[in-house]
Amino acid sequence: MQSSIPYRQNSRQPSRQLSTDPRNELHPYVDHYIGIDVGTGSARACIMNDHGDIVGVASENIGLWQPQTGYYEQSTTDIWRCICTSVRRAMDMHNIDRHSIRGIGFDATCSLAVFAEDTDEPVCITGPNFDNKDGNDRNVVLWLDHRPVAETEKINATKHNLLRYVGGKMSIEMEIPKVLWLKNNMPKELFDRCKFYDLTDALTHIATGNETRSYCSVVCKQGFIPVGVDGSVKGWQEDFLKEIGLEDLCEDNFKRMGGVDKVNGNYLTAGELVGTLSEKAAADMGLQPGIAVGSGVIDAYAGWIGTVGAKVKLDDDRLDMDAPKNDVSQAFTRLAAVAGTSTCHLAMSKEPVFVNGVWGPYRDVLLPEYWMAEGGQSATGELLKHVIETHPAFHEAHSVAETFNTNIYDYLNEHLREMAEREKAPDISWLGRHFFFYGDLFGNRSPVADPNMKGSVIGLSSDKSLDGLALYYYATMEFIALQTHQIVSTMNKSGHAISSIFMSGSQCQNDILMQLVAAACDMPVLIPRYVHAAVVHGAAMLGAKAASTDKDGKSEPLWDIMDRYSKAGKMVKPSKDANLKRLLAKKYEVFLEQCESQQRYRSDVDAAVEGWTKAA
């Protein structure tokens, strides 16, 4: 691949040019890279210097539309506006010279973006008319949109071989079910004009004008099998698409999905050079045109990039930036847990590891020739929020938290400590010893892979007090920790070698939750320096990789960039308290029984009412 970026004598290191901006007189030789993270609720821009330090962050809330229950829609027009506002604000607030920006990396939620093939304009995905009458360009079906229930069932009923690479079942959160829903509901003449992108690929397209797709997007969420894997010839599986009713997408060598690599398409691994920032995109962002733009990744995968490269000494309770260079093999023992509304669990392996209920194995999506697996919890942050806000004592707790000028999570953690002290409990976990909460209120992503899973409670009382809320809140944290243990142990039993968890996201600040995860999994939990910005920090590293591209199209290995730029944080070691270990081990047995019994109860009842079902 020929790069339009000027050749650098030392192509494996960032270029260093003298800044002429008087504001940078104290640091005249500084290059910067921009990471852009598009989450469910906001777009963020992070500016990273050539030492890996974050020197500026800004964000802007994204519009979200819910025309029906279970429908979630966004607009790339609105998202791009939020991105540009965030970039401009981060640059201005922190006095960054725009001439110092060398590379840009994107990550985004695994959402489906739809454009017109002939005009490149957004195509409305809002039924029943799909006419964009409100003028919002709602062309994004968000990852958590659950409209394609029937389509997902049809896809999984094929039992096609590619389903092996998504844990045995394609999730309703993935993009092919959403494309099939659009075909089943859109006017044919409109659907026939559509081309489809994962959101991060849509953003690199807007930024550069290029039609390049990222392996992370198409392999993880669109049923693409890299060439050479399991006999795959073109990546896209023609027989599968025809069997589910998407034969239209096979035309012109799958052009509407991105084409065939090196025939009528271009596919890149994380951070490889897509192209350079166009004149229009640069004007929108307030930047110089010609900046290197790296191939993007799904947001959780940027969390892996931003965390697992940290230098770790597991024997002395610290992460150490002066430790010897990481070898890439160390990544095989490190699980990245990217926690937000939901939590994704990412693990790398040298060889493919198949795990029921865990998505993947995916080849080439982050590092060439290596494999990724993705487990997950459908709701963690959202589950905590739901449990707290639906309890009768929520308003009282919220009011008290405001009085103490703190958030409700920190307040409830302190309340749990006070309860333990008042009851002379040996540990906070003692308070919830007879309370058993199973929390799949939003379905199960891993390892059961059943969107119909629900919650259950044993030990429910009539307590409406703050104590009752705190106990329910504790039980929810315990559930998150026990389910993390279930996912990790399932992955390890199948062939992974996970021995530490690298967390990112706001949940890292919850010390009780982190202690529970470490204790339940019996392994250390590593928390990054940039707790809130680990994902967007990872995106900036993609920009650094793109900027390292030489005249022959070769760039510095992403792992080397991660090793150089990752920042030390802190470690939470698992408890050595034998009583706590026995308690959590017994609670885990109950947790598994609650999980299994729910499935058995549903099956037994369905069998009992089979006559009604057939009559209906």
Side-chain angles (χ1 to χ4, degrees), residues 172-277:
I172 198 169
E173 296 176 7
M174 293 180 180
E175 293 162 20
I176 291 298
K178 294 174 170 65
V179 174
L180 184 56
W181 184 93
L182 290 174
K183 178 178 180 179
N184 290 341
N185 290 273
M186 265 185 174
K188 183 179 186 304
E189 60 274 15
L190 180 58
F191 182 81
D192 288 345
R193 292 177 55 218
C194 292
K195 59 178 178 176
F196 304 96
Y197 300 82
D198 179 88
L199 180 54
T200 191
D201 289 342
L203 297 177
T204 57
H205 170 65
I206 295 170
T208 66
N210 293 339
E211 291 286 349
T212 301
R213 301 299 202 271
S214 64
Y215 281 119
C216 189
S217 298
V218 297
V219 175
C220 296
K221 304 301 174 184
Q222 296 179 350
F224 184 102
I225 306 297
V227 173
V229 174
D230 220 351
S232 178
V233 176
K234 293 185 175 181
W236 299 107
Q237 307 300 296
E238 185 170 0
D239 61 335
F240 168 73
L241 292 172
K242 287 181 176 178
E243 185 174 0
I244 65 173
L246 285 175
E247 61 280 353
D248 332 45
L249 301 186
C250 302
E251 297 172 2
D252 298 327
N253 264 330
F254 311 96
K255 183 181 177 183
R256 293 162 64 190
M257 295 295 289
V260 175
D261 193 30
K262 297 179 179 60
V263 177
N264 63 338
N266 190 26
Y267 293 77
L268 299 175
T269 194
E272 289 186 306
L273 184 68
V274 172
T276 58
L277 197 65

Side-chain angles (χ1 to χ4, degrees), residues 181-433:
W181 184 93
L182 290 174
K183 178 178 180 179
N184 290 341
N185 290 273
M186 265 185 174
K188 183 179 186 304
E189 60 274 15
L190 180 58
F191 182 81
D192 288 345
R193 292 177 55 218
C194 292
K195 59 178 178 176
F196 304 96
Y197 300 82
D198 179 88
L199 180 54
T200 191
D201 289 342
L203 297 177
T204 57
H205 170 65
I206 295 170
T208 66
N210 293 339
E211 291 286 349
T212 301
R213 301 299 202 271
S214 64
Y215 281 119
C216 189
S217 298
V218 297
V219 175
C220 296
K221 304 301 174 184
Q222 296 179 350
F224 184 102
I225 306 297
V227 173
V229 174
D230 220 351
S232 178
V233 176
K234 293 185 175 181
W236 299 107
Q237 307 300 296
E238 185 170 0
D239 61 335
F240 168 73
L241 292 172
K242 287 181 176 178
E243 185 174 0
I244 65 173
L246 285 175
E247 61 280 353
D248 332 45
L249 301 186
C250 302
E251 297 172 2
D252 298 327
N253 264 330
F254 311 96
K255 183 181 177 183
R256 293 162 64 190
M257 295 295 289
V260 175
D261 193 30
K262 297 179 179 60
V263 177
N264 63 338
N266 190 26
Y267 293 77
L268 299 175
T269 194
E272 289 186 306
L273 184 68
V274 172
T276 58
L277 197 65
S278 69
E279 294 274 356
K280 182 183 183 306
D284 292 343
M285 290 182 169
L287 300 174
Q288 294 289 104
I291 296 169
V293 176
S295 180
V297 298
I298 296 162
D299 52 358
Y301 288 76
W304 185 92
I305 294 167
T307 56
V308 303
K311 297 176 178 65
V312 179
K313 290 185 177 179
L314 293 175
D315 57 349
D316 64 357
D317 296 324
R318 66 192 178 101
L319 283 71
D320 186 358
M321 289 300 292
D322 297 321
K325 176 182 170 64
N326 279 313
D327 182 82
V328 68
S329 64
Q330 291 175 262
F332 305 152
T333 66
R334 301 174 180 181
L335 181 82
V338 187
T341 303
S342 61
T343 295
C344 292
H345 303 90
L346 299 167
M348 178 175 279
S349 59
K350 188 173 183 180
E351 302 296 336
V353 178
F354 292 89
V355 187
N356 287 334
V358 172
W359 301 338
Y362 302 133
R363 200 191 73 187
D364 299 335
V365 298
L366 289 182
L367 304 182
E369 301 302 321
Y370 289 102
W371 299 77
M372 295 295 298
E374 179 183 353
Q377 292 164 286
S378 297
T380 52
E382 182 63 26
L383 178 64
L384 287 164
K385 181 173 179 287
H386 174 84
V387 166
I388 291 170
E389 293 184 358
T390 56
H391 193 276
F394 164 66
H395 293 293
E396 181 183 356
H398 182 68
S399 178
V400 175
E402 284 191 331
T403 300
F404 287 102
N405 195 29
T406 189
N407 65 65
I408 196 164
Y409 302 99
D410 287 343
Y411 165 70
L412 288 173
N413 282 351
E414 187 57 33
H415 192 84
L416 284 167
R417 294 185 185 99
E418 292 174 358
M419 286 175 64
E421 185 177 347
R422 188 172 67 235
E423 297 185 23
K424 295 182 172 53
D427 189 274
I428 287 172
S429 296
W430 171 265
L431 301 172
R433 65 195 184 282

